[in-house]
Amino acid sequence: MSQIDRNSQTVDTDDTVWTPQNWRLRQALQMPVYPDSAALETTLNELHQLPPLVTSWEVLSLKQQLAEAQEGRRFVLQGGDCAENFADCESSIISNRLKVLLQMSLVLIYGLRLPVIRIGRFAGQYAKPRSSDTETRGEVTLPSYRGDIINRPEFTAQARIPDPQLMITAHSRSSMTMNFVRALIDGGFADLRHPEYWSLRWVDYSTRASEYQQMVASIGDAVRFMEALSGEHMHNLNRIDFYTSHEALLLPYEEAVTRQVPRQSGWFNLGTHFPWIGMRTAAVDGAHVEYLRGVVNPIAVKVGPSVQPDQLLRLIDVLNPEDEPGRLTFIHRMGATQIAEKLPPLLDAIRSDGRRVLWMCDAMHGNTESTRNGYKTRRFSNILGELEQAFDLHAAAGTRLGGVHLELTGEDVTECTGGARDLKDMDLERAYRSTVDPRLNYEQSLEIAMAIVRKQSSATIR
Ligand code: PEP
Ligand code: CO
């Protein structure tokens, strides 16, 4: 197989011919500068030869399911760490994260009466956009840490040099994560869908304890009823699908995992099922949009409070010109205090233009704040508040909220405040582990799922 010169600038400039390299002609924000371009080239060629992490038929089946979510026939749960790191590629962290996502999905299936599409923010979520290219401590200024796929977090000059070999490590850790997730799902792990195996002591501390206990009891009854009816264990009844996603930020890596597949047309990103474009790299004429417009995968774009309706319409023109169902998701992340003002004009513009997108709400990234003792945190009440408003605003606009996007972990961390146990600012130091954004812990995550169900069932009764 011939080697592709990925540093070459001599790609076809004809806009109609898309290639995985064309993004190199556009402005690429948030990109590291690799000092050794020969080493970068060697690494990218190696990466290009490695087997894919996902398959084209999985990618297409997710797109089909997202098309159904667009029509109101499914709901999406997308969640995981803000950033994975290499040290957390470890069995209990992976299985606890999978467990909480499965349990949340069961709550949502039960409460919303819809199949849930489960999408992890994992197996590749290693690159982070940064607000500044450099970090200064005292007299010393160094390049910012950009995630384990790019450089290392220690504050030394050596650690902050972008190292292409980290892309190979990221690819192999993603592959190990996928392998373990697939094995857990194929085996008896799905038994965890029985509420009798869940950790639910927190429910007693909730102001809605009796409602939530009732919900858990009903889910247990429903599972047992299904099993009695079919004579099968729940996990044999329907195969669980689990998909992966990450922010497609580090474009040389994304390009190297972009492949053509026998008997399929087009190019697939086979490093993940569902790549998304972050808020900081969503310029319509920028490199990230140029790269993602050409892949067959379903894709998402994060939409922040400064985005105007005409920008969204232009993004649709570029990213989904054929109005293909399931192709494009907008994940709005406005913040609890801004969503009521900022979201409705966007919903109206797209609805009145007759465009087809799936709407999801990221209830995390607009709600980040710092405590007086310097911890980055989010309040449970703001996260839930943004979600509840999102459901209402969509209902009022005649659109539909088709899914939620959350940063969470299956561990007992103390990073977000509030929730049933009412964590306070001073509790944060007890188990604050994130090096980036604060995540919902196991209990807070399950509580969010129950609170969504509660909100939606009261909306139906009304
Ligand atoms: C993220 O999802 O971790 C993130 C950085 O989000 P956004 O691009 O919406 O700020
Ligand atoms: Co984040």
Side-chain angles (χ1 to χ4, degrees):
M1 194 172 162
S2 66
Q3 303 252 304
I4 297 171
D5 179 6
R6 288 190 190 75
N7 279 340
S8 147
Q9 296 293 307
T10 57
V11 283
D12 199 326
T13 53
D14 180 352
D15 266 356
T16 59
V17 182
W18 182 90
T19 72
Q21 298 91 50
N22 271 25
W23 63 267
R24 292 172 181 274
L25 300 175
R26 302 287 180 95
Q27 188 186 23
L29 298 178
Q30 298 283 340
M31 219 49 67
V33 179
Y34 289 95
D36 184 345
S37 55
L40 174 63
E41 190 56 25
T42 308
T43 306
L44 291 174
N45 281 320
E46 181 183 341
L47 205 48
H48 190 69
Q49 307 300 325
L50 294 176
L53 300 175
V54 304
T55 62
S56 60
W57 55 91
E58 290 167 348
V59 166
L60 294 175
S61 96
L62 175 61
K63 198 193 262 181
Q64 174 59 38
Q65 292 189 13
L66 292 170
E68 290 169 22
Q70 249 169 15
E71 289 169 8
R73 292 190 282 127
R74 290 179 186 267
F75 191 78
V76 184
L77 171 64
Q78 184 179 21
D81 288 316
C82 180
E84 293 172 284
N85 53 55
F86 293 164
D88 283 354
C89 182
E90 181 258 296
S91 65
S92 68
I93 289 181
I94 297 170
S95 57
N96 285 340
R97 188 174 52 209
L98 188 65
K99 180 170 90 171
V100 73
L101 285 166
L102 283 172
Q103 294 179 354
M104 291 170 79
S105 73
L106 190 53
V107 170
L108 294 171
I109 292 168
Y110 166 81
L112 305 180
R113 303 283 193 264
L114 285 174
V116 168
I117 308 171
R118 306 168 188 92
I119 306 177
R121 262 181 83 112
F122 58 57
Q125 177 52 19
Y126 288 115
K128 293 311 297 173
R130 303 311 308 252
S131 45
S132 166
D133 283 344
T134 56
E135 179 184 349
T136 300
R137 293 192 199 172
E139 304 284 281
V140 185
T141 297
L142 294 175
S144 293
Y145 166 63
R146 292 182 176 277
D148 278 10
I149 193 172
I150 292 170
N151 57 5
R152 297 198 315 276
E154 300 86 70
F155 194 71
T156 65
Q158 185 60 32
R160 295 295 174 90
I161 299 173
D163 176 0
Q165 265 306 313
L166 296 173
M167 287 193 256
I168 303 286
T169 312
H171 187 272
S172 65
R173 301 276 157 140
S174 302
S175 150
M176 289 178 226
T177 304
M178 276 303 284
N179 182 55
F180 190 43
V181 166
R182 289 185 196 278
L184 287 170
I185 282 172
D186 284 347
F189 187 77
D191 270 351
L192 286 162
R193 300 202 288 171
H194 284 259
E196 46 276 29
Y197 299 111
W198 301 1
S199 315
L200 290 166
R201 285 182 304 279
W202 62 272
V203 175
D204 295 337
Y205 297 89
S206 164
T207 49
R208 314 212 179 279
S210 62
E211 240 173 293
Y212 289 164
Q213 267 145 4
Q214 180 59 43
M215 199 183 290
V216 172
S218 304
I219 295 170
D221 285 348
V223 169
R224 281 184 291 277
F225 176 71
M226 289 281 290
E227 290 186 340
L229 206 61
S230 66
E232 281 281 1
H233 281 300
M234 187 69 178
H235 65 272
N236 292 332
L237 281 174
N238 60 339
R239 210 178 63 77
I240 299 182
D241 287 329
F242 218 110
Y243 296 100
T244 62
S245 65
H246 66 246
E247 178 173 348
L249 185 67
L250 183 58
L251 293 175
Y253 176 89
E254 302 301 334
E255 178 191 318
V257 296
T258 303
R259 311 281 167 83
Q260 283 175 308
V261 175
R263 289 175 292 284
Q264 298 275 13
S265 57
W267 293 85
F268 289 78
N269 181 316
L270 294 182
T272 190
H273 300 109
F274 189 40
W276 81 80
I277 305 179
M279 185 185 74
R280 292 164 190 76
T281 50
V284 73
D285 53 358
H288 292 80
V289 169
E290 171 57 25
Y291 166 72
L292 275 157
R293 88 178 166 88
V295 296
V296 174
N297 304 55
I299 58 172
V301 184
K302 293 283 206 83
V303 177
S306 66
V307 173
Q308 298 301 313
D310 65 307
Q311 286 173 273
L312 274 195
L313 293 171
R314 281 166 59 221
L315 276 173
I316 302 178
D317 288 340
V318 173
L319 294 173
N320 193 17
E322 311 290 337
D323 198 30
E324 186 194 356
R327 158 72 174 166
L328 183 58
T329 298
F330 284 139
I331 305 175
H332 49 76
R333 31 86 84 225
M334 305 292 176
T337 56
Q338 295 207 67
I339 185 170
E341 180 199 343
K342 305 288 181 178
L343 185 62
L346 303 181
L347 301 183
D348 289 345
I350 288 178
R351 204 214 35 229
S352 53
D353 224 64
R355 310 295 183 100
R356 218 174 344 197
V357 299
L358 173 65
W359 290 105
M360 288 178 53
C361 177
D362 165 354
M364 311 303 289
H365 287 91
N367 294 313
T368 314
E369 54 190 288
S370 287
T371 62
R372 269 191 288 139
N373 43 359
Y375 284 98
K376 216 175 174 190
T377 192
R378 290 161 174 156
R379 295 180 211 196
F380 186 90
S381 56
N382 287 338
I383 297 167
L384 183 57
E386 180 163 0
L387 281 176
E388 291 186 337
Q389 290 180 72
F391 280 107
D392 290 341
L393 293 166
H394 277 278
T399 50
R400 179 174 180 275
L401 184 66
V404 293
H405 180 113
L406 300 166
E407 286 185 344
L408 54 82
T409 170
E411 307 300 301
D412 181 20
V413 298
T414 54
E415 296 172 6
C416 293
T417 56
R421 289 193 199 258
D422 198 18
L423 294 182
K424 304 276 192 242
D425 285 3
M426 58 204 201
D427 292 313
L428 297 182
E429 62 199 35
R430 197 169 72 237
Y432 196 103
R433 300 214 199 108
S434 176
T435 47
V436 271
D437 289 341
R439 303 159 296 177
L440 296 165
N441 62 24
Y442 170 81
E443 296 181 347
Q444 291 169 328
S445 301
L446 257 192
E447 188 176 354
I448 282 280
M450 292 189 193
I452 290 174
V453 164
R454 184 177 174 275
K455 161 81 184 159
Q456 282 309 85
S457 32
S458 60
T460 329
I461 293 162
R462 234 186 287 135

